[in-house]
């Protein structure tokens, strides 16, 4: 602990003495990231934007940088961390809330990790509701029809959300907002969380009951060893016929093969997916001219009752601006040797 602290003070001292610029390598940086961060550029910091994701093949791009700034699909494994640390990178600044893509145990004693725990829970919760409404009112089909002057309504019959039961798994910042939105629609709201909260406007029930009795199930818990494949063949079998699944959290919460089987068996009524188990190779990139090798994803996309967005739920102006402001503050505080309040713990390797 003293060693890490001492190293940081020494580093801060050197920076002030030599008026060194803080060099920040941004990975998986798209135009909207650049636009949000550019207003914070100044003569003390140098932003270097890389379109590519961080992985073992690209980590060399962070050589001579002080900070590596990453997003949800950068692969920050032990080998990458070893190399970052060897290059002198002292801070890994996540411009997101989830950190399942970082080997935190490997960071211990080598690199500090900060994140943006909250930027706009509304962005994600509203996207979940947007996908649900789109699905149950067949907006995705109507949009294409009317573009072609096809004004037929056949096959577009939806159903009211009012009076339906929605089960929310994970009642943190986003889950709570989603519950409030659903309550506004007059839905019956059930919730399951490992750590229930008093301020949630839903009835807490056990996971089994939520799975068995919900018309719609929305996932808002983080990905960890306990939640991986929380939706699997067994839970799908226990669901109501025609249940709708919404996932704006992390792809690995759902066993995609089991979901596909549930859809083929006509057990699942619809799936609204903003995230996908194997998204890291594909999402955020344009593969429209390519042959996609992921057969499960390709088959899911062909289903008339599957709506897929490419990890887009966070993408509002408000969220991007809040992410940029919080990330820059994290970096500034770290370089000034101040506590950020957003540092993530480093578990011991088991
Ligand atoms: P949060 O930390 O505020 O809430 C997570 C909730 O999950 C907490 O209440 C926690 O107690 C609960 N939880 C933890 N382990 C659980 C378990 N085993 N079973 C049931 N509940 C459990 O997080 P948040 O800000 O609401 O974000 C939720 C998730 O949304 C994040 O983990 C992230 O994966 C995802 N996310 C996605 C996007 C997107 O663009 N699609 C954007 C932001 C966040």
């Amino acid at each position: 602990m003293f060693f890490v602290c001492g190293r940081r003070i020494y580093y801060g001292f050197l920076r002030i003495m030599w008026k060194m610029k803080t060099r920040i390598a941004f990975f998986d940086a798209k135009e909207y990231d650049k636009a949000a961060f550019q207003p914070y550029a100044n003569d003390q910091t140098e932003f270097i934007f890389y379109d590519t994701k961080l992985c073992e093949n690209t980590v060399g791009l962070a050589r001579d940088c002080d900070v590596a700034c990453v997003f949800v699909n950068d692969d920050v494994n032990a080998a990458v961390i070893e190399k970052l640390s060897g290059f002198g990178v002292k801070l890994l600044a996540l411009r997101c809330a989830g950190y399942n893509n970082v080997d935190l145990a490997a960071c211990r004693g080598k690199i500090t990790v900060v994140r943006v725990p909250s930027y706009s829970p509304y962005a994600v919760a509203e996207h979940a509701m947007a996908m649900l409404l789109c699905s149950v009112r067949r907006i995705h089909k109507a949009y294409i029809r009317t573009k072609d002057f096809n004004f037929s309504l056949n096959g577009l019959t939806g159903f009211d959300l009012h009076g339906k039961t929605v089960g929310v798994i994970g009642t943190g910042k986003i889950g709570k907002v989603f519950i409030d939105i659903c309550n506004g629609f007059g839905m019956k709201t059930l919730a399951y969380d490992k750590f229930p909260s008093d301020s949630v406007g839903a009835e807490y029930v056990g996971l089994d009951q939520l799975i068995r009795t919900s018309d719609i199930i929305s996932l808002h818990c983080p990905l960890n060893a306990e939640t991986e494949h929380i939706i699997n063949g067994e839970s799908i079998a226990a669901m109501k016929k025609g249940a709708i699944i919404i996932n704006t959290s992390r792809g690995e919460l759902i066993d995609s093969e089991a979901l596909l089987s549930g859809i083929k068996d006509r057990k699942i009524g619809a799936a609204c997916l903003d995230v996908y188990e194997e998204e890291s190779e594909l999402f955020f990139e344009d593969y429209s001219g390519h042959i996609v090798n992921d057969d499960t994803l390709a088959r899911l996309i062909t289903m008339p009752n599957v709506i897929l967005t490419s990890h887009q739920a966070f993408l509002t102006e408000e969220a991007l601006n809040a992410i940029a402001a919080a990330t820059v503050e994290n970096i500034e505080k770290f370089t000034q040797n101040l506590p950020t309040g957003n540092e993530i713990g480093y578990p011991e390797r088991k």
Side-chain angles (χ1 to χ4, degrees):
M1 182 65 196
F2 175 76
F3 173 69
V4 174
C5 242
R7 214 169 54 156
R8 279 183 58 181
I9 292 166
Y10 176 66
Y11 166 68
F13 177 71
L14 281 184
R15 279 182 38 73
I16 293 162
M17 288 297 291
W18 292 346
K19 296 191 173 60
M20 282 160 61
K21 273 189 172 189
T22 304
R23 301 188 82 228
I24 307 164
F26 288 78
F27 288 88
D28 209 3
K30 306 299 184 225
E31 288 309 314
Y32 45 81
D33 294 307
K34 292 179 199 168
F37 276 92
Q38 225 38 278
Y40 295 95
N42 58 42
D43 51 11
Q44 267 108 58
T45 49
E46 187 179 347
F47 294 162
I48 308 160
F49 295 106
Y50 297 114
D51 191 52
T52 181
K53 293 185 176 69
L54 176 62
C55 65
E56 281 172 67
N57 294 333
T58 60
V59 64
L61 296 169
R63 199 183 290 271
D64 300 328
C65 287
D66 306 289
V67 182
C69 184
V70 301
F71 198 47
V72 293
N73 285 327
D74 291 292
D75 184 8
V76 199
N77 62 30
V80 168
I81 289 155
E82 192 63 44
K83 289 222 169 111
L84 287 175
S85 171
F87 294 153
V89 174
K90 290 148 202 85
L91 181 70
L92 183 68
L94 309 187
R95 40 182 209 282
C96 54
Y99 46 85
N100 51 281
N101 54 330
V102 181
D103 185 337
L104 288 172
C107 294
R108 205 180 162 89
K110 290 203 171 81
I111 193 162
T112 301
V113 187
V114 288
R115 66 175 180 138
V116 182
S118 178
Y119 40 90
S120 170
Y122 309 102
V124 183
E126 288 173 15
H127 191 80
M129 180 48 88
M131 292 183 96
L132 176 61
L133 281 171
C134 183
S135 174
V136 302
R137 301 311 302 269
R138 321 285 187 243
I139 305 293
H140 53 310
K141 298 197 164 294
Y143 175 79
I144 293 167
R145 276 192 198 182
T146 55
K147 282 273 174 204
D148 199 29
F149 302 101
N150 174 355
F151 302 114
S152 156
L153 294 183
N154 289 330
L156 298 187
T157 308
F159 61 79
D160 292 3
L161 289 181
H162 184 269
K164 297 292 182 302
T165 299
V166 59
V168 176
I169 301 180
T171 55
K173 292 173 283 296
I174 297 169
K176 258 184 215 176
V177 174
F178 185 70
I179 287 169
D180 290 346
I181 293 173
C182 291
N183 284 333
F185 274 76
M187 302 173 81
K188 179 177 180 201
T189 46
L190 302 180
Y192 168 74
D193 196 298
K194 200 173 170 195
F195 307 99
S197 148
D198 291 339
S199 59
V200 167
E203 179 193 347
Y204 278 106
V205 294
L207 182 60
D208 289 352
Q209 186 182 340
L210 182 146
I211 297 279
R212 266 189 296 106
T213 58
S214 298
D215 300 300
I216 295 142
I217 296 172
S218 195
L219 303 175
H220 299 288
C221 56
L223 172 64
N224 55 39
E226 284 170 345
T227 59
E228 187 174 358
H229 287 185
I230 196 166
I231 300 297
N232 51 45
E234 209 179 313
S235 53
I236 289 172
M239 285 177 198
K240 278 182 164 181
K241 186 167 166 52
I244 296 178
I245 300 176
I246 309 168
N247 189 6
T248 55
S249 199
R250 286 292 181 266
E252 294 90 334
L253 297 180
I254 299 182
D255 177 343
S256 321
E257 295 285 348
L259 175 67
L260 183 57
S261 299
I263 291 167
K264 282 179 172 172
D265 295 345
R266 279 68 171 171
K267 178 73 193 256
I268 297 296
C272 305
L273 309 174
D274 185 52
V275 287
Y276 171 66
E277 237 182 331
E278 303 295 335
E279 70 176 50
S280 61
E281 295 293 313
L282 296 167
F283 281 21
F284 309 141
E285 308 300 334
D286 179 0
Y287 283 99
S288 55
H290 297 249
I291 292 169
V292 169
N293 287 324
D294 187 325
D295 289 352
T296 308
L297 178 67
R299 189 75 176 100
L300 281 169
I301 288 174
T302 64
M303 293 292 178
N305 53 354
V306 172
I307 293 181
L308 186 112
T309 50
S310 168
H311 209 131
Q312 181 189 331
F314 74 99
L315 197 64
T316 65
E317 277 182 26
E318 291 81 355
L320 287 171
N321 292 338
I323 288 170
T327 303
V328 168
E329 192 180 332
N330 279 341
I331 295 169
E332 279 177 0
K333 283 190 170 161
F334 176 82
T335 52
Q336 291 162 17
N337 206 32
L338 298 168
T340 62
N342 292 327
E343 194 170 339
I344 308 172
Y346 314 98
E348 293 212 37
R349 177 84 65 212
K350 282 187 192 140

